[in-house]
Amino acid sequence: NPRLFTFFGYGLPLNSHFAIGNFVQSAAMTNKIEVNGSLQTVRSYLYITDLVTQLFSLLTKPTLNTLHIGGARPITIGELASQVSAHFNDCPIIASNKDAQPNYYLPEVEKTEKYLGVSEKISLDTGLKRWKEAEAKGERYFPHEYFYQILLSGELDPSHEGNPEHCWLLEA
C-alpha cells in the first residue's frame, strides 16, 4: 500500500503543481525563479530511479501496510530554489508572497526502508545534474529503460541483485 510523496527528474511536468518542475521551467524560460509560497515550507524529493527501485522492491515484497515512498532528506523551498538555480542558469530567486505561512509535507520513510531494505541513493544535487544532462541531450525514457539504467548503474543494493543469467531485462 504505497503512499507516494514528491519526486523529481527529467520528464516531470514543468507547468503543473510541482514546485521543482516549475522552478526548472522558470529558470530556463524567464531566467528567474519565483516562489509563490513560503521559502520556509519543507518538502523532500526522491529521484525517479530511486522511486522505480522502491516500487519494484514493493512488487517483490507486497504488503497491506501503508509504506511512505519519498525522499528522506528534508529541504526548504528556499533551499530547493537555490539548488535549482545553481544547476539551471544561476538565476535570481524572488519570493512573491512574503506573508505565506510555511507548511510541512514529509514522508516517514524509516518503516519503508526497513521493510523493503531500500534507501535513497541519488541526492538532490546528483539528480539535478542528471536532469540537466538529460534535458540537454533531449533524452526521454520508458519505464523499462529506467530499470535497465538502474541495473547497469549498480545503484541497487547487492541484496537486490540476482543472477544476471536469470534477469529478463538484461536479456532483452
Side-chain angles (χ1 to χ4, degrees):
N1 238 354
R3 178 160 183 230
L4 305 178
F5 282 76
T6 48
F7 310 99
F8 76 107
Y10 186 62
L12 180 80
L14 299 180
N15 58 352
S16 191
H17 62 278
F18 306 108
I20 196 166
N22 293 338
F23 293 169
V24 168
Q25 182 182 40
S26 292
M29 303 294 283
T30 66
N31 207 30
K32 66 180 178 183
I33 296 175
E34 188 170 343
V35 178
N36 295 319
S38 170
L39 292 172
Q40 298 308 311
T41 287
V42 178
R43 299 285 185 271
S44 66
Y45 290 85
L46 187 68
Y47 190 67
I48 187 70
T49 55
D50 285 331
L51 167 64
V52 170
T53 300
Q54 291 187 25
L55 291 176
F56 189 67
S57 296
L58 184 57
L59 287 173
T60 63
K61 195 174 179 183
T63 181
L64 294 176
N65 295 322
T66 300
L67 296 177
H68 290 192
I69 308 288
R73 301 175 192 129
I75 186 169
T76 67
I77 292 297
E79 293 166 336
L80 176 67
S82 293
Q83 284 206 27
V84 169
S85 174
H87 286 279
F88 294 88
N89 294 340
D90 206 20
C91 55
I93 299 161
I94 300 163
S96 62
N97 186 356
K98 296 184 192 284
D99 296 328
Q101 294 299 309
N103 60 63
Y104 307 87
Y105 184 67
L106 297 170
E108 296 175 10
V109 298
E110 296 80 14
K111 186 166 81 170
T112 303
E113 291 174 347
K114 184 176 180 182
Y115 180 75
L116 296 176
V118 298
S119 63
E120 188 174 349
K121 303 288 186 209
I122 306 300
S123 69
L124 182 63
D125 184 60
T126 299
L128 287 170
K129 286 177 188 171
R130 288 182 180 187
W131 189 342
K132 186 173 182 175
E133 289 168 4
E135 184 178 274
K137 294 176 187 175
E139 295 175 344
R140 296 259 183 212
Y141 300 112
F142 292 106
H144 70 280
E145 291 174 307
Y146 276 113
F147 280 122
Y148 189 65
Q149 287 177 7
I150 292 167
L151 289 174
L152 293 180
S153 74
E155 292 170 19
L156 293 175
D157 291 332
S159 62
H160 290 109
E161 294 179 14
N163 184 339
E165 294 176 10
H166 300 135
C167 179
W168 62 270
L169 189 56
L170 287 175
E171 286 299 316

